[in-house]
Amino acid sequence: MTPTAAPSTATEPTTPPRPAGRELGHGVALLPGADIPLARGVLVPGAVALLARLHRELAAERAQLLEAREARQAAFDAGAVPEYLDAESEAVRGDWRVAPVPQDLSRRRVEITGPVNDTKMVINMLSRNPEGDRADAAMVDFEDSMKPSWKNVLDGVVNVAGAARRDLTFVKSAAGRPDKVYALDPEDMAKLMVRVRGLHLAETNVTIDGEPVAAGLFDFALCLFHAARPQVERGETPAFYVPKCEHHLEARWWNRLFTLAQEAVGLTAGTLRATFLIETLPAAFQMEEILHEIRHHAAGLNVGRWDKIFSDIKVLRNHPDRVMADRASIHLGRPWMRDYALRLVEICHRRGAYAIGGMAAFTPGRTPDLRRHQTSKVLADKQLEASMGHDGCWVSHPYFIGPALSAFPHDHQLGVRHPEADRPDLLPRATPPLTLDGLRTNVRVGIGYLDGWRRDVGCVAWDGLMEDLATLEISRAQTWQWLRHRVELEDGQRVTVELIRRLFAEELDRIHLEVAEALEGASEDAVAARRDAFTAAAEEAQAIFLEEGLRPFLSLASDAADAELS
């Protein structure tokens, strides 16, 4: 059956609520399985009191903002499209600038990103690579590159605190070999930045007055509590990234969170800085309004192009004239993507904020020829971003720091302006190609990513790319959209449920052969275990891809803690 338009409230299947576990005081409680030693070390009395205070101040407004999202999506489903705001814009079009950018955030040519829970990876992101290159900043991530399991979240807070103290270490042990110790060089580190989870996500392992706490509030409050003081005492700026913003009133909510939290921990208002990702289609029309709301805490805006593609599809999912082409063909060369990036540069530089470009999502290939090819693509991508006037960019692997740095010879490009990009047409167009290979890629990414997700991993190296939650979301949303509109592919085939199921079967067979090749010489049990794992991942991915309604996100809540962890 061809899926019909989903109500905007569609979510993943839910499980019955679990009873609260240990009370921590101030109305804060843990689920039974969440009461583990790691949690007790993170949720100390002062942190618990901060969470309770912030939740009570902000929970009701967050609920209203999420309801407003649903109302907007219902309007989009009925035929409306995002537009520029006229009345609100008039209030922000005057002569204003963001607070001066602190010195330790004045050079952001290359920022490397990765999951905050992986201690070794965090250390490597903050350090020089084997070639001697170091990113200017490391964005350690609670969001798209991290599976939000309870232990991962807690490990992330511990890693942020250790990085802020500059004493984070990791010991790798192997039988018959000396231990290998990974440690930070306190005198030579990238700038620490923390991306918290989005407004839509709930941290279900912690309840306050009986309801789950907002995941982004949880991440932000605990990182501020445990990591801000050592940074401030060294004259450094606590720096954060905020994802998935859809409206300037959501930015106002985040700014209130910043102000209330700083006051609660004894920091002067404006001490911290935040960069907001402009990675949703509605937010692309409200860049200036969003920046205005956070102007006292703003470090910049970011072209979060992967999530932006997902948002383009999701927001306009019911519009047959907006069906998106193969995901690999959507890049900054597309008019609506180019204009979105140029507008971000113009808005940021007009107001004194940094404009940060997007991700180079490659993982180094196994052969020198492949690595050279990847390096040339990274360099071309970053040179394009630099030519647009961005002040920096992202990479997902240390290997590509050097090539990316070479594309940004200056500390920043705040003088570059694009006044012609003030209010361009930002709506995507239905353009080719729409191919069987594109659909096959979506299916294959779904299997590979869900295999990682089932193993508690939020980003996976897959076919030479770093696939994270954003790219999984593109793959499933595009597959749903093509099926919803019964797209005719370039080879004449219609996208149907039967075709998608056939591709899942074919790609699973292919992956099984790849497993056997990769594990040549391993035991039969080891090969069978990996084959079985991919089979389970394929079944789960196919069920999600073929859901009748397009759920707004893969997940709206953290994973409930497993009682066995205790």
Side-chain angles (χ1 to χ4, degrees):
M1 182 178 71
T2 302
T4 57
S8 59
T9 54
T11 62
E12 74 280 2
T14 58
T15 55
R18 296 173 61 183
R22 186 165 68 97
E23 295 285 339
L24 303 179
H26 302 279
V28 181
L30 293 173
L31 288 183
D35 187 11
I36 59 176
L38 188 58
R40 296 166 206 150
V42 168
L43 292 168
V44 296
V48 169
L50 178 62
L51 284 175
R53 177 175 175 178
L54 296 174
H55 173 83
R56 291 184 182 123
E57 288 275 359
L58 296 166
E61 183 182 349
R62 171 178 175 262
Q64 292 169 0
L65 291 168
L66 294 178
E67 289 174 0
R69 282 189 179 187
E70 293 182 358
R72 285 194 301 273
Q73 186 60 55
F76 299 146
D77 287 345
V81 295
E83 297 176 332
Y84 291 106
L85 303 178
D86 291 327
E88 292 90 340
S89 293
E90 287 303 316
V92 304
R93 302 286 283 186
D95 185 17
W96 59 272
R97 292 175 68 82
V98 302
V101 176
Q103 180 60 36
D104 60 339
L105 286 168
S106 63
R107 187 168 71 169
R108 300 172 60 184
R109 300 165 299 168
V110 175
E111 299 178 350
I112 187 169
T113 76
V116 68
N117 63 293
D118 188 320
T119 309
K120 175 186 168 185
M121 196 175 295
V122 169
I123 292 170
N124 285 341
M125 286 193 290
L126 289 163
S127 304
R128 293 191 179 274
N129 66 15
E131 291 74 36
D133 300 313
R134 196 204 70 202
D136 292 323
M139 190 275 283
V140 296
D141 185 24
F142 283 91
E143 214 230 3
D144 276 357
S145 65
M146 188 195 79
K147 169 78 177 290
S149 64
W150 183 231
K151 186 176 184 301
N152 283 351
V153 171
L154 296 174
D155 282 338
V157 175
V158 171
N159 286 341
V160 169
R165 295 191 307 268
R166 302 192 169 195
D167 61 5
L168 187 64
T169 59
F170 175 78
V171 179
K172 182 179 180 180
S173 299
R177 300 179 187 174
D179 289 347
K180 185 172 183 179
V181 178
Y182 295 80
L184 297 172
D185 180 349
E187 305 303 320
D188 186 17
M189 283 175 52
K191 172 65 185 173
L192 175 67
M193 307 183 81
V194 179
R195 179 163 69 170
V196 300
R197 285 173 285 176
L199 190 74
H200 62 287
L201 280 161
E203 179 47 71
T204 53
N205 291 292
V206 178
T207 63
I208 301 176
D209 301 332
E211 64 179 5
V213 66
L217 184 153
F218 183 87
D219 303 338
F220 170 77
L222 290 180
C223 289
L224 192 76
F225 180 87
H226 287 286
R229 187 59 60 186
Q231 292 176 291
V232 172
E233 289 175 351
R234 283 196 304 270
E236 298 172 4
T237 307
F240 294 86
Y241 261 96
V242 174
K244 304 292 192 294
C245 185
E246 293 191 11
H247 198 278
H248 72 280
L249 294 181
E250 294 179 6
R252 183 177 299 175
W253 183 91
W254 284 103
N255 196 68
R256 283 191 64 208
L257 172 61
F258 301 156
T259 301
L260 291 168
Q262 287 171 112
E263 176 188 351
V265 301
L267 295 177
T268 303
T271 297
L272 68 86
R273 289 291 187 275
T275 301
F276 273 53
L277 290 112
I278 303 300
E279 57 183 353
T280 68
L281 183 57
F285 287 88
Q286 298 186 33
M287 294 179 192
E288 194 160 31
E289 291 84 355
I290 289 169
L291 194 60
H292 184 261
E293 292 291 348
I294 64 168
R295 61 193 180 277
H296 301 303
H297 294 108
L301 302 177
N302 174 278
V303 175
R305 48 182 150 160
W306 289 117
D307 269 296
K308 168 65 165 47
I309 296 168
F310 167 52
S311 179
D312 287 349
I313 297 170
K314 181 171 65 172
V315 167
L316 302 175
R317 61 195 180 189
N318 270 15
H319 296 238
D321 58 334
R322 308 287 181 183
V323 173
M324 296 283 279
D326 291 8
R327 74 167 208 172
S329 74
I330 307 299
H331 45 68
L332 290 185
R334 294 282 188 162
W336 70 91
M337 295 294 288
R338 181 194 66 236
D339 289 345
Y340 140 76
L342 292 175
R343 180 168 198 253
L344 186 139
V345 171
E346 166 61 17
I347 295 298
C348 285
H349 291 178
R350 179 194 300 167
R351 304 304 185 181
Y354 279 52
I356 306 300
M359 170 68 77
F362 290 102
T363 57
R366 294 185 177 182
T367 67
D369 285 347
L370 180 55
R371 288 194 293 273
R372 280 192 290 269
H373 174 68
Q374 291 173 325
T375 298
S376 67
K377 294 191 74 171
V378 169
L379 183 58
D381 180 55
K382 299 313 165 192
Q383 288 174 335
L384 173 60
E385 290 182 315
S387 72
M388 290 179 160
H390 290 93
D391 302 294
C393 65
W394 281 8
V395 297
S396 64
H397 195 282
Y399 182 84
F400 298 110
I401 292 173
L405 281 172
S406 70
F408 290 90
H410 308 294
D411 286 356
H412 59 74
Q413 300 193 93
L414 289 170
V416 176
R417 297 283 302 276
H418 298 290
E420 75 285 357
D422 186 38
R423 286 195 165 197
D425 181 3
L426 299 179
L427 294 174
R429 296 280 185 259
T431 53
L434 297 97
T435 68
L436 183 65
D437 284 345
L439 186 59
R440 188 181 297 277
T441 295
N442 290 342
V443 165
R444 185 171 169 84
V445 168
I447 298 172
Y449 189 81
L450 264 294
D451 173 64
W453 189 262
R454 292 168 60 85
R455 291 183 288 109
D456 214 28
V457 174
C459 59
V460 296
W462 192 247
D463 293 340
L465 294 173
M466 187 65 73
E467 302 285 357
D468 69 359
L469 184 56
T471 55
L472 178 279
E473 297 285 47
I474 296 171
S475 296
R476 74 171 178 89
Q478 181 165 76
T479 301
W480 186 95
Q481 185 188 46
W482 287 10
L483 182 58
R484 164 78 175 89
H485 296 288
R486 294 187 59 82
V487 161
E488 182 177 342
L489 302 176
E490 289 187 353
D491 64 2
Q493 293 189 78
R494 290 280 179 188
V495 177
T496 63
V497 169
E498 292 71 28
L499 175 60
I500 293 169
R501 286 178 174 156
R502 191 192 89 201
L503 293 180
F504 266 103
E506 290 174 0
E507 287 310 302
L508 180 59
D509 287 343
R510 179 181 163 198
I511 290 168
H512 283 170
L513 292 174
E514 292 167 353
V515 166
E517 181 180 347
L519 296 181
E520 185 177 2
S523 69
E524 291 184 6
D525 287 346
V527 174
R530 286 304 291 138
R531 286 169 57 96
D532 290 347
F534 276 113
T535 298
E539 291 173 353
E540 185 172 355
Q542 178 176 288
I544 292 170
F545 277 42
L546 293 178
E547 286 174 341
E548 184 172 355
L550 179 66
R551 63 173 80 176
F553 296 96
L554 177 66
S555 178
L556 294 175
S558 59
D559 274 14
D562 188 338
E564 292 179 357
L565 288 175
S566 60

